[in-house]
């Protein structure tokens, strides 16, 4: 709420870029929350009906329902890292050749083209010359946070705040000039 109100007070020339930054922050912050939802779902397994059958993957792999829930989160973070790196490398959104036969590459490149948050952020980067280092530090901190349940020291929490919130503020100041 306060981010929206602060955005309304931004100069009109930087308001769009400010909201693009806030949307980007929400996107990558929600990656961890989405992984908790995925990990929290209970999947019916053949072993729950009678135990110990040939499909009892929990016992063989030593994992509990669903395995590594951070893998999809890490893939989403990698998508964002690659997409923003491509913006700064002045590559077009068509990183792969249009004639590429690989459906995964075509899907990823088209998802970059049509992602509204990335399009807005790209416009903000090009218009205001936002510093890549700040965006990279945000993404690195959010990715490290994926595997952390609770911080053990106040110093770690302060560093996380510096790497996330402070960098959003630095980028917001860059939009103003």
């Amino acid at each position: 709420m306060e981010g929206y109100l602060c955005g309304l007070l931004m100069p009109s020339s930087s308001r769009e870029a400010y909201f693009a930054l806030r949307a980007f922050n929400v996107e990558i912050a929600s990656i961890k929350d989405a992984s908790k939802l995925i990990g929290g779902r209970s999947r019916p397994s053949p072993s729950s009906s009678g135990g110990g059958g040939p499909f009892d993957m929990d016992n063989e792999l030593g994992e509990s329902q669903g395995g590594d829930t951070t893998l999809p989160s890490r893939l989403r973070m990698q998508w964002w890292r690659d997409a923003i790196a491509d913006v700064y490398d002045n590559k077009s959104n068509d990183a792969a050749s249009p004639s590429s036969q690989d459906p995964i590459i075509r899907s990823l490149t088209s998802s970059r083209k049509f992602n509204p948050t990335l399009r807005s952020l790209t416009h903000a980067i090009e218009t205001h010359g936002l510093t890549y280092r700040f965006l990279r530090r945000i993404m690195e901190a959010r990715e490290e946070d994926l595997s952390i349940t609770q911080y053990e020291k106040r110093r770690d929490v302060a560093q996380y705040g510096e790497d996330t919130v402070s960098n959003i503020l630095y980028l917001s100041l860059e939009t103003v000039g």
Side-chain angles (χ1 to χ4, degrees), residues 62-147:
E63 297 172 346
S64 63
Q65 294 189 4
D68 184 12
T69 58
T70 63
L71 181 62
S73 302
R74 293 192 187 285
L75 290 173
R76 285 181 65 195
M77 287 300 295
Q78 186 64 46
W79 185 91
W80 277 105
R81 266 205 316 259
D82 291 346
I84 291 175
D86 285 350
V87 170
Y88 279 96
D89 289 342
N90 291 324
K91 294 180 182 178
S92 69
N93 286 335
D94 297 323
S97 64
S99 63
S100 175
Q101 297 299 319
D102 188 4
I104 295 173
I105 292 175
R106 281 185 293 171
S107 176
L108 287 174
T109 56
S110 73
S111 68
R112 288 183 188 171
K113 259 190 254 181
F114 299 114
N115 184 299
T117 303
L118 181 59
R119 288 174 48 189
S120 297
L121 186 61
T122 300
H123 181 70
I125 289 168
E126 292 169 351
T127 305
H128 297 281
L130 302 179
T131 305
Y132 177 62
R133 177 182 41 141
F134 295 141
L135 289 166
R136 190 183 69 234
R137 283 180 66 192
I138 294 167
M139 290 182 290
E140 288 170 354
R142 296 282 188 196
E143 185 166 12
E144 287 176 19
D145 186 54
L146 290 175
S147 60

Side-chain angles (χ1 to χ4, degrees), residues 23-41:
F24 167 71
N25 188 43
V26 169
E27 282 281 334
I28 63 169
S30 67
I31 291 173
K32 183 174 183 174
D33 295 336
S35 73
K36 287 180 182 178
L37 288 175
I38 291 169
R41 291 185 186 146

